[in-house]
Amino acid sequence: MGHDSANIKPESWLVSAGRGSQPGDPLNVPLVPASNFIIGSGREYSRDDGTPTWEALEAVVGGLEGGKALAFASGMAAIAAVFDQLAVGSLVVLPDDCYQGVAGLAAAGEQRGRWSVQRIAVDDTEAWVRACADADLIWLESPSNPLLTVADLELICAAPRKPSAIVGVDNTFATPLNQQPLAFGATVAIQSATKFIGGHSDLLAGVATTNDPALWHALKKSRELTGATPGTLETYLAVRGVRTLAVRLQRAQQTAMLLAERLEAHPQIMRVRYPGLSSHPTHAVAQRVLKGFGTIISFDVLGGAVAADQVCQQVKLIHHATSLGAVESTMERRAAIPGQEHLPPALLRLSVGIENVDDLWNDLSAAIAASSI
């Protein structure tokens, strides 16, 4: 390609990166279902050397995040590779509100004596800055899952830390279009490509991006040794899906803002959590560190868990399903998930898709009304 991500806008990079540029090259990245290659080019075995399909996804996401990327079998595989860099006895600092897979990974390692874990409230910036002085892994997730608290990455990533410390940021909810942690000073940014990158609920993949060459090589070695490699079809689909990320995100964010405002005014809704609302506790931080407020809304229904479950059962256009970031809207009661019982029992997490906003609202408001009968 004759340009890089610094020369064109992200919307253009999404469409153009990772393609061939020579006469006769296929316009779209080919699906390369090969485990091994003819020796002599430097690429011999896919687990060690990757494939052109993986590299296309890495080029797109790496350019968006502002670093060099590695594709993994899932978001958790990418996260586990970061944790794999820690020496025995390390200190891991986690948000109080974070993805249960990460909390489970950290707890399992602590139980085995690999590291100790400290939990800090996402919005307690002073505590994060203090913790950076001693931590070996500062793990941030912003906006957080599912309470949507926005961390002050600008201050936390700039805090003094040990030379060997890793600052990792799960950037899945924000996407690289709304937030670039490496630009704030983070060491590595993680995408669960299963979500917004793929965008169609049809793959599992993850991407880790860093501008630290030593860490990149260490993560690559971890991917090789653990076999946490992405599938060929999955990376092909992720490349195809990411091409439309900008338009999907723009549409869904606009809809999410309107739905959040309508939910906030609804008499049967106790609380709405969306960073774009002025009532959100970290709205001011979100305005400073995010370029957009995202497509996820969490809200609490009057009537507790029973009413919330009824809303999930009554919706017709919105799908009662887990995960997020796809073209279709999905919703679930997060406290019903094992390991998430500490969350508000009536909290529903809604991932807004690209459907018509009025159709979504009619579906949602009818389900809320039915839950109170």
Side-chain angles (χ1 to χ4, degrees), residues 276-319:
L277 294 173
S278 59
S279 59
H280 193 275
T282 56
H283 175 65
V285 175
Q287 286 181 305
R288 178 160 49 83
V289 302
L290 294 175
K291 298 172 186 175
F293 299 120
T295 75
I296 314 299
I297 307 168
S298 291
F299 59 98
D300 297 9
V301 181
L302 276 175
V306 172
D309 285 335
Q310 288 177 345
V311 173
C312 291
Q313 293 159 9
Q314 291 288 334
V315 287
K316 295 178 175 59
L317 180 61
I318 299 167
H319 298 275

Side-chain angles (χ1 to χ4, degrees), residues 38-328:
I38 302 299
I39 294 173
S41 71
R43 193 196 303 276
E44 298 180 7
Y45 190 55
S46 62
R47 180 167 61 83
D48 301 329
D49 305 318
T51 74
T53 315
W54 302 3
E55 290 167 356
L57 178 61
E58 292 166 350
V60 177
V61 177
L64 289 175
E65 294 275 26
K68 189 175 181 181
L70 284 165
F72 286 83
S74 66
M76 278 306 303
I79 292 167
V82 176
F83 275 72
D84 194 39
Q85 308 309 309
L86 298 176
V88 173
S90 293
L91 172 61
V92 175
V93 183
L94 288 183
D96 60 343
D97 179 42
C98 71
Y99 179 53
Q100 75 266 26
V102 178
L105 175 68
E110 186 173 38
Q111 290 168 4
R112 298 186 185 112
R114 288 197 59 189
W115 50 64
S116 58
V117 177
Q118 178 184 354
R119 303 292 290 265
I120 297 177
V122 178
D123 57 354
D124 191 348
T125 304
E126 291 183 2
W128 281 102
V129 170
R130 288 194 302 270
C132 285
D134 299 314
D136 298 286
L137 174 60
I138 300 103
W139 188 261
L140 294 153
E141 184 181 296
S142 183
S144 67
N145 181 13
L147 300 180
L148 302 176
T149 308
V150 179
D152 196 333
L153 294 187
E154 188 174 23
L155 292 180
I156 298 170
C157 292
R161 57 183 187 258
K162 296 191 292 186
S164 61
I166 296 172
V167 178
V169 179
D170 187 333
N171 200 30
T172 300
F173 272 37
T175 82
L177 294 181
N178 281 341
Q179 183 171 262
Q180 294 173 312
L182 301 185
F184 288 129
T187 319
V188 60
I190 299 292
Q191 289 292 328
S192 172
T194 307
K195 280 65 171 192
F196 292 96
I197 300 299
H200 292 79
S201 301
D202 56 6
L203 63 93
L204 288 175
V207 182
T209 308
T210 181
N211 47 28
D212 181 333
L215 180 59
W216 185 89
H217 284 287
L219 292 172
K220 182 175 182 291
K221 180 59 67 175
S222 179
R223 182 180 72 176
E224 293 171 13
L225 295 177
T226 61
T229 52
T232 300
L233 177 60
E234 287 79 357
T235 47
Y236 174 83
L237 289 172
V239 171
R240 187 174 69 167
V242 78
R243 301 298 188 198
T244 60
L245 174 60
V247 290
R248 287 187 283 109
L249 185 65
Q250 180 183 32
R251 170 64 174 264
Q253 279 187 156
Q254 291 173 344
T255 300
M257 187 72 217
L258 291 170
L259 292 179
E261 291 172 342
R262 294 179 186 182
L263 283 167
E264 194 170 45
H266 198 290
Q268 288 172 245
I269 302 302
M270 294 188 295
R271 179 174 181 178
V272 180
R273 298 171 178 85
Y274 181 69
L277 294 173
S278 59
S279 59
H280 193 275
T282 56
H283 175 65
V285 175
Q287 286 181 305
R288 178 160 49 83
V289 302
L290 294 175
K291 298 172 186 175
F293 299 120
T295 75
I296 314 299
I297 307 168
S298 291
F299 59 98
D300 297 9
V301 181
L302 276 175
V306 172
D309 285 335
Q310 288 177 345
V311 173
C312 291
Q313 293 159 9
Q314 291 288 334
V315 287
K316 295 178 175 59
L317 180 61
I318 299 167
H319 298 275
H320 184 201
T322 193
S323 202
L324 53 102
V327 292
E328 69 277 354

